[in-house]
Amino acid sequence: MSHSTYNRLWSEAHKELNCLLAQELPKEPHRPEKDRVVFFQRLVTLYVHYIQIFRQLEEAYDQIIHPQKRRVIRPVLEGVMGRILELKNEMVEKEFSEYHYMDDIVQDLKLTPEDLEIPIPRYFIRERSKVLQERDAMFATVLNQMKPMDKPEPHVVRMMTLERAVKIIQVSERARQGRLRAKFMREINKSSERQKKEHEAITSNQAAVTIQKVWRGYAQRKKTKKLWEEEMIFLGMAMDPKRSYPSPLTLIVQNNEANRRIRQEDHEEDYQKSIGSVIYQLREVEGPEIKEAMKDQIRQWFLECRDATGSFPDYPEEEDGGSALLFADKTPEQLAEELAAKEEEDANKKQKGKEEVKEKGKKNKGKVQDEEEEPGLKMLPSAYLEDLERGHKTFAAVWQNRNESKNFSQRHETELIKEEKRKEIEVEIRKQVDELMRQELANWKLAVDKEKIGKSKGAAKKKKALKNGKRKKKDKDLTADRTIESLFKELVEQELLKKPNSVKLQDYQGDYSYLGTTLRQSDIEPMPSLSDVRQVVALYAVLPLGSQTVHEKVPLVKSMLLAGPSGVGKKMLVHAICQETGANLFDLSPLNVAGKYPGKSGLQMMLHMVFKVARLMQPSVIWIGDAEKMFYKKVPKDEKELDPKRLKKDLPKILKSIRGEDCVLVVGTTNDPHSADLKSLCKFYNKIILIPRPDYASRYVMWKELIKKNGGEPTNNLDLSSLAKISDGYTPGHMVQVVNSVLTERRIQQLAKRPLTAAEFVTPLARIDPVFQEEEAALKNWYAKTPLGKKRVKAALGKDGDEDVPTKDGKGGKKKGKK
């Protein structure tokens, strides 16, 4: 597509963003909403609209080649990402569920389920390509040192005896003769049966009519089948076999997109070079003039203040803004009063602080009274709306109506660079001028007023000393004498740092849940689809880890637990998170840690190394497989030697030290959460994501995609609908196992003559034990005991989320009663 197409896409996104900002930042604040359903509908509508803007801005940022435009788009894109995560967090708090169903909203807005898919920004990996290449090179070096290349063993040819060779030849010859004899006897039997079934001779007219009937029937069936296939393709319920491979137009579009990314890099290099030349020009040409103009203005201010107040003023400190305060639209008398007021404030800071605390307490009491008077639901304050409003104003002021008819190649504009850098140069020059003029003012005071200046400098030194004394003590670095490369190497050798598998989040197949809203309206809690799981993982893990700016401001998710039956793709999701964000993968699973770094000091050293490398080489994912083992209620006898609860005390302490600037996420996976202490497990993991077995729609999509991926070709002979129906209860791992066993190399070669059928997959599927409904019900009951699950149960009973669930005896859920 052309430059104008992506510019128009950018402009449309800002039009929609302007409408949303008008809703979220009204002149008068919204009144609290008493109806929870209406409030949640408002949240969902905003969420869906922000996703549409996110998709448009991500496409524009990926393809626009103008370097200055991309710098304007980037903050807005990250702001929209952060706002989506804030709305998601608020939706979870209001609906008490990690999964939300928006069938009615999608239908009202005329959207498709694909429009709700969270896109993974492509710049996550593109902008870290050099870092990832260096990391891969480090991995390759360490692995080569660990596993030296062994010389291949010479192929040993075993001698065969003459008797053994003769016997093999005899067996093969007898088998060949037997096959020929069986074929000959089959033909004799067919000819004899044909002779028995011969009837009386028919006339030529009857023979012609019979042939015509057969031919017309065959032709009509073929025509009907073709019309049916065309109709299914038109309705989008079948794939056009001609389009199984990318069309020439698709290849051209992909090639153009790749070329635009290459041009982005070229334009970026030119932009950086131009910045250097512009800064040099401003410093050398305009710098002296700016410096002299500032000095003249400050001297004029000195004289005006002396004429107005009778004495020279005190020069503002750097912390207060320096001489920048002098150029505000204020008279010398006002400036002198403000400086005097600041000195009084510094002197009486403690007393005012106490008064402010009292006033805040009174205000908070007033606010509580107002809230009691006006009950209802309000939207939580956002950390991104001001950034979005600022970014939209920049777009409207600079780029919305800008004439770019002469900039067809979309290169940078030098005048914009000058406007931006001139302000930075002025700040640098102002600091230099402040030092000179501060000394000049001291000389004037000594010469005219005979005053000495030393109090301010001494006070400033005291303030700095106090600040330095109040600094917190840093944690002791156990590996201060070691380089990051040596720590990286040791972790790889100990298999605590692993290379993630090459899978993407899109590879986690699953269809949209189309009946979620209908079931909830009928007071039936639906099980989430695999598509919902993919969305939640993208929101909680991929977007925050991919963007440092987003991670610092959004509600912090330090740890996440993926719970579900074996084979639903929990490990695949962990590897997909690392692959989409370029994160490092640390494995602290109990079985992987067993026997490594023994003793208490060894454990502290291991955790210190892991988290130090994770922070210095962020983003990082720390994976804990079989997470239930770390919080066992009772350790099994056969696992006592492994000490699976080894990390239970130290790991939560280190997890508390993770802050917003640390792009580190702890991800646990478990298929047996019942054996863990629920209270400890829920305290350690911020988010608990329940992954169920796939539903019918997801199974249908998965069978189709798995068969294609493994070299098969779904045809009309393959009844995917029946196959998806009979595979109820089987996980994606089971399906992968079955497809690999059926689609061998020999079977793929026979596809042209013998198409695939559903019956071929039934036999190997029947040999595998499925996930029964009892197991899934047990997982669902376990999740209902988690903090969020309890709130959801209470909400389903029509009570507030903080009330207790009544038991059978009618009392609150806090007391124990007989089941």
Side-chain angles (χ1 to χ4, degrees), residues 429-445:
I429 294 175
R430 189 179 301 281
K431 291 180 180 178
Q432 299 173 6
V433 170
D434 285 349
E435 293 179 2
L436 297 173
M437 298 307 295
R438 193 174 281 112
Q439 186 63 37
E440 186 173 333
L441 179 62
N443 296 334
W444 283 20
K445 285 187 175 184

Side-chain angles (χ1 to χ4, degrees), residues 765-807:
L765 196 65
R767 298 194 186 103
I768 303 173
D769 293 331
V771 178
F772 296 102
Q773 291 184 355
E774 292 79 5
E775 298 179 46
E776 189 174 24
L779 275 172
K780 199 172 181 180
N781 292 334
W782 170 84
Y783 185 76
K785 297 176 184 177
T786 61
L788 193 63
K790 287 180 181 178
K791 292 180 181 179
R792 182 64 196 167
V793 172
K794 294 171 188 176
L797 293 173
K799 296 193 174 185
D800 192 8
D802 296 330
E803 295 180 5
D804 297 322
V805 181
T807 55

Side-chain angles (χ1 to χ4, degrees), residues 103-121:
D103 321 355
D104 48 350
I105 303 295
V106 171
Q107 189 174 0
D108 293 341
L109 297 177
K110 309 297 182 185
L111 301 175
T112 62
E114 287 77 13
D115 295 328
L116 297 182
E117 193 73 25
I118 301 295
I120 308 300

Side-chain angles (χ1 to χ4, degrees), residues 256-358:
N256 289 339
E257 290 180 352
N259 290 334
R260 292 183 72 89
R261 294 191 186 101
I262 294 172
R263 292 173 66 187
Q264 276 181 8
E265 297 176 359
D266 296 339
H267 288 195
E268 181 66 25
E269 290 179 4
D270 294 343
Y271 176 69
Q272 295 296 338
K273 292 177 182 177
S274 180
I275 287 177
S277 62
V278 167
I279 291 175
Y280 178 79
Q281 182 181 1
L282 289 174
R283 282 176 178 165
E284 296 297 324
V285 178
E286 299 183 13
E289 296 179 1
I290 295 173
K291 194 172 185 179
E292 292 300 324
M294 286 183 181
K295 287 181 178 180
D296 293 340
Q297 288 177 340
I298 294 171
R299 290 191 187 102
Q300 182 66 25
W301 177 73
F302 291 163
L303 299 174
E304 289 178 1
C305 283
R306 180 170 174 78
D307 294 340
T309 61
S311 62
F312 288 111
D314 293 330
Y315 206 93
E317 297 292 336
E318 291 184 6
E319 297 175 356
D320 300 328
S323 60
L325 293 174
L326 310 182
F327 302 119
D329 295 333
K330 296 176 183 177
T331 62
E333 294 85 352
Q334 291 174 338
L335 285 171
E337 290 175 2
E338 285 185 3
L339 293 173
K342 284 183 180 179
E343 290 178 359
E344 291 178 2
E345 286 177 4
D346 293 336
N348 302 323
K349 195 172 184 180
K350 293 182 180 180
Q351 295 179 357
K352 287 186 178 181
K354 292 179 181 178
E355 293 175 0
E356 286 176 0
V357 170
K358 292 180 181 179

